[in-house]
Amino acid sequence: MLKPISFNAEELLAQVLCFVERSMEPYRGIMDQLSKRYRPIRDAYPMLMALGLSVLRNYILLDFITENACGVKVSELDCFSKWLLRIVVYEIRYRDISRDRVERYLRKLGLRSECYSILRYYDVEPLLRRMNIVDELSIRYSIPRWIVDYAYRKLIRDEYELRWFIRDLSGPQPTWIRVNLLKINNRSTLKHKLREYYIFAYEDPIIPDVLLVEEGKDRLTRNPLYEQGYYMLQNRASTLVAHNLGLRGRGIVFDLCSAPGGKALHAASLTRCKTHIVALDISARRLRIEQEMIKWQGAENCISIVQGDVLHQPLLGKADYIILDPDCTSLGRLGHTPEIRLWVKPQDVKRMSRLQRRLLQKAVENAKPGSRIVYSTCTITLEENEKVVESVLDKVEILEPELKLGDPGIGLERTLRLYPHKHKSLGFYVSILERI
């Protein structure tokens, strides 16, 4: 576990972000662990969390400004110094922080104190406007260049829409919550109860058990309704999975690659625990988290936890419904989990696609005729989405979604693609399949 070397906000965050980059651990998870152990971090948690996420969402732009304004090669610095400089440059440009405080850090990093004024007022727009669309958007929104290039070549050829897409892919995502129907009858009741805690939410016009939170987001996980499991945070895109399983009364659901369990819990909620759900995952650590989630949401009577490998699972033939949401490059989550952009590489697309094909083919081969399989990912690449589904088309039929949100899939029009700039959601993909 990371041990802080300092409780000064900038130095603490530099240490955390360096650890995140090297370990490929989630930033939110590290900060949550630290806040439980150290009171100074707990007391400053909202500010620290927001500052870290903002720096992660802007790190390429911050490096570009620093290198052009002050001539510093950020990539040549050691990991801690690199992140400390990014944090300080972000504060100089976008936060109202004491000049003496940030100049002290500039001197510590070997920069002249006059760099403060240069960095604060440096106009980056003339440089960005001279670039081609891919380079400009990559730097402006701190998205790795290969991702912007992929989106332009294979997904969105219109430059105006591409700009809109990259902007929303990079930025903070809308906050959605899903009602737990095991504990409260409907979302309207929950919406009114949330107002007692100054949390204001609005009903999704398409998805019947989801609310969009507009005010009071900082209180969402700090009130009795949340603590008692009346709702959970879940993006509207991922709720399409359980809604499109076509659950009818009793039956057996297998949720493959289940942990941390949001989709299994949604299936339990929709059926009021009348369907038996087997939550399978290869990771014991992640299943322990899912077990806690199941208890919190009150679904112990209908969800069974099984540790195992999907590729060696003989029980799939008993399932009436199968959920497969495998590991992916998570490119649809770059706004919510911006640290992904620190390590995701083009070769990861091919690696993940190979694994996803094996998993879906295994699920389809073992599924009984007439069973329904919902395949989904939180990424945007064709190789991890449509191309994976195409590999099993000789054994399945693609069904029309019962609950439809999003654009038609590329080349597979009955499947669904969700984009952050169009659908107020993560970048997401869903296909509903029936075993022939």
Side-chain angles (χ1 to χ4, degrees):
M1 177 61 193
L2 182 67
K3 185 175 181 180
I5 58 172
S6 169
F7 288 110
N8 290 331
E10 292 86 355
E11 292 182 6
L12 170 68
L13 278 178
Q15 184 187 5
V16 169
L17 294 174
C18 181
F19 180 80
V20 166
E21 181 177 12
R22 287 174 166 172
S23 67
M24 296 193 290
E25 292 287 329
Y27 171 67
R28 283 183 171 85
I30 298 299
M31 289 301 295
D32 286 345
Q33 291 176 38
L34 290 173
S35 70
K36 291 174 183 176
R37 288 191 173 203
Y38 302 102
R39 182 168 182 175
I41 297 175
R42 186 162 59 251
D43 291 345
Y45 182 85
M47 181 276 292
L48 290 170
M49 178 62 74
L51 178 56
L53 289 171
S54 295
V55 172
L56 284 166
R57 290 185 182 119
N58 290 279
Y59 79 101
I60 295 177
L61 177 62
L62 296 171
D63 290 357
F64 184 76
I65 291 169
T66 304
E67 291 178 8
N68 283 278
C70 293
V72 178
K73 285 288 185 183
V74 180
S75 60
E76 295 177 0
L77 299 175
D78 65 84
C79 187
F80 176 83
S81 298
K82 175 177 66 179
W83 283 107
L84 181 58
L85 181 55
R86 287 167 175 167
I87 292 162
V88 170
V89 174
Y90 182 86
E91 290 189 316
I92 289 171
R93 290 186 67 88
Y94 305 115
R95 299 188 74 215
D96 186 18
I97 300 295
S98 160
R99 179 167 180 164
D100 289 343
R101 180 184 181 93
V102 292
E103 283 187 345
R104 185 170 69 248
Y105 283 119
L106 289 176
R107 290 192 295 271
K108 186 174 182 176
L109 290 162
L111 276 72
R112 306 182 312 275
S113 58
E114 53 262 35
C115 270
Y116 174 91
S117 295
I118 298 171
L119 287 166
R120 185 166 181 83
Y121 300 110
Y122 185 77
D123 185 5
V124 73
E125 286 300 319
L127 291 177
L128 292 176
R129 284 197 292 267
R130 289 201 294 268
M131 294 178 175
N132 64 59
I133 186 74
V134 171
D135 289 336
E136 182 221 328
L137 294 180
S138 173
I139 292 170
R140 185 184 295 279
Y141 297 111
S142 293
I143 298 282
R145 187 187 188 283
W146 73 268
I147 299 174
V148 181
D149 182 61
Y150 183 99
Y152 187 41
R153 286 187 297 107
K154 297 192 175 185
L155 304 178
I156 301 171
R157 289 296 300 168
D158 179 80
E159 291 190 2
Y160 178 80
E161 185 181 356
L162 179 72
R163 187 177 298 277
W164 190 17
F165 167 65
I166 294 298
R167 181 200 66 186
D168 287 4
L169 182 69
S170 177
Q173 299 292 315
T175 301
W176 298 91
I177 59 174
R178 177 183 56 75
V179 180
N180 180 11
L181 298 173
L182 296 174
K183 294 197 172 185
I184 193 166
N185 288 332
N186 55 65
R187 65 178 176 181
S188 180
T189 303
L190 176 64
K191 181 176 70 172
H192 291 294
K193 286 182 176 291
L194 285 170
R195 289 178 181 171
E196 298 174 16
Y197 303 98
Y198 300 98
I199 298 169
F200 298 93
Y202 304 90
E203 296 180 3
D204 188 309
I206 296 173
I207 303 173
D209 54 353
V210 168
L211 294 169
L212 174 63
V213 179
E214 293 285 5
E215 296 181 46
K217 296 175 186 179
D218 58 325
R219 294 181 288 277
L220 264 181
T221 58
R222 294 184 291 132
N223 67 77
L225 297 175
Y226 179 80
E227 291 165 2
Q228 294 167 28
Y230 280 57
Y231 63 89
M232 64 181 291
L233 277 73
Q234 187 170 3
N235 192 270
R236 74 190 301 224
S238 68
T239 66
L240 289 173
V241 172
H243 275 297
N244 281 300
L245 270 177
L247 296 165
R248 302 285 186 269
R250 300 185 184 278
I252 298 176
V253 178
F254 266 68
D255 183 9
L256 314 179
C257 310
S258 180
K263 297 172 183 66
L265 286 165
H266 192 194
S269 171
L270 288 175
T271 61
R272 275 60 168 192
C273 254
K274 292 177 182 176
T275 296
H276 184 67
I277 301 158
V278 178
L280 177 74
D281 202 279
I282 200 168
S283 169
R285 179 183 64 84
R286 290 170 58 174
L287 282 174
R288 284 194 293 272
I289 297 171
E290 182 164 1
Q291 188 70 64
E292 294 173 4
M293 297 273 287
I294 290 167
K295 184 177 180 181
W296 170 54
Q297 292 277 292
E300 305 101 311
N301 292 335
C302 61
I303 301 181
S304 302
I305 293 287
V306 177
Q307 184 184 358
D309 187 344
V310 175
L311 297 173
H312 303 94
Q313 182 48 252
L315 300 177
L316 282 175
K318 298 182 180 295
D320 301 292
Y321 313 95
I322 296 173
I323 298 170
L324 178 58
D325 187 89
D327 287 344
C328 67
T329 52
S330 300
L331 299 185
R333 298 176 60 85
L334 294 180
H336 176 271
T337 315
E339 62 270 25
I340 292 168
R341 53 189 102 181
L342 300 177
W343 54 71
V344 69
K345 300 290 187 290
Q347 55 267 32
D348 293 331
V349 175
K350 292 182 179 179
R351 179 174 60 84
M352 288 295 184
S353 179
R354 286 194 296 268
L355 173 63
Q356 292 152 355
R357 286 177 185 234
R358 290 177 66 200
L359 293 173
L360 183 57
Q361 287 166 1
K362 190 68 174 180
V364 169
E365 286 170 8
N366 291 335
K368 64 185 181 183
S371 58
R372 183 171 292 196
I373 304 159
V374 177
Y375 174 80
S376 64
T377 75
C378 59
T379 195
I380 59 174
T381 67
L382 292 163
E383 292 85 350
E384 297 177 84
N385 295 321
E386 287 90 347
K387 297 300 182 185
V388 174
V389 173
E390 285 175 1
S391 72
V392 296
L393 287 181
D394 59 329
K395 299 182 179 68
V396 300
E397 178 187 355
I398 301 176
L399 303 181
E400 285 282 353
E402 294 185 10
L403 188 64
K404 187 177 290 189
L405 170 67
D407 288 357
I410 298 172
L412 297 177
E413 293 191 354
R414 288 186 175 183
T415 65
L416 297 173
R417 275 185 164 266
L418 285 84
Y419 296 107
H421 68 297
K422 289 184 175 182
H423 308 114
K424 290 189 175 181
S425 73
L426 302 172
F428 206 79
Y429 178 79
V430 186
S431 59
I432 302 96
L433 313 173
E434 184 173 275
R435 182 67 163 100
I436 298 173

